[in-house]
Amino acid sequence: QVHLVESGGGLVQPGGSLRLSCEASGSIFSIDDLGWYRQAPGKERELVARIASDDGPEYADSVKGRFTISGGHTRNSVYLAMNNLKPEDTAVYYCHGFGVYTDFTVFDSWGQGTQVTVSS
């Protein structure tokens, strides 16, 4: 079983910054995709940013130029630097990982989520 543990959420004023971290642990052979998704109340979960092992970072249009994803499959950890935060960024942020266990079966796992609230 793969465990994804997020940290770094909290309350911040508009224009402020936060940095989210996600650490993956377990019987991991390789991680092919690590990323961040978010879900606001009454809305569907959406992609924020992701890094795939065979591709560069991908961002939602709404966060381009403000958020930066780093880390990724080679370190079993991923980070999300969020700058110039807006009230519409308020959501629960989830870490997601897709890869292969040491027994060569596939995993597709989610973290428990961390709350980000942007409010004055």
Side-chain angles (χ1 to χ4, degrees), residues 4-56:
L4 300 174
V5 180
E6 303 104 332
S7 61
L11 173 64
V12 64
Q13 293 185 343
S17 300
L18 283 175
R19 185 174 186 261
L20 305 183
S21 300
C22 173
E23 300 288 336
S25 62
S27 301
I28 300 170
F29 176 76
S30 67
I31 298 181
D32 300 315
D33 194 304
L34 267 177
W36 294 94
Y37 291 72
R38 67 186 181 187
Q39 188 167 19
K43 295 187 177 181
E44 294 187 353
R45 191 172 296 188
E46 63 176 2
L47 172 70
V48 177
R50 58 185 281 267
I51 295 180
S53 60
D54 59 353
D55 204 354

Side-chain angles (χ1 to χ4, degrees), residues 44-76:
E44 294 187 353
R45 191 172 296 188
E46 63 176 2
L47 172 70
V48 177
R50 58 185 281 267
I51 295 180
S53 60
D54 59 353
D55 204 354
E58 176 184 354
Y59 295 94
D61 288 342
S62 60
V63 306
K64 285 180 180 177
R66 301 188 297 122
F67 291 10
T68 303
I69 190 170
S70 61
H73 61 97
T74 58
R75 290 187 284 172
N76 288 3

Side-chain angles (χ1 to χ4, degrees), residues 5 9 11 23 25 29 36 41 69 78 82 93 95 101 108 117-118:
V5 180
L11 173 64
E23 300 288 336
S25 62
F29 176 76
W36 294 94
I69 190 170
V78 66
M82 305 185 293
Y93 283 68
C95 181
Y101 289 113
D108 186 343
T117 302
V118 185

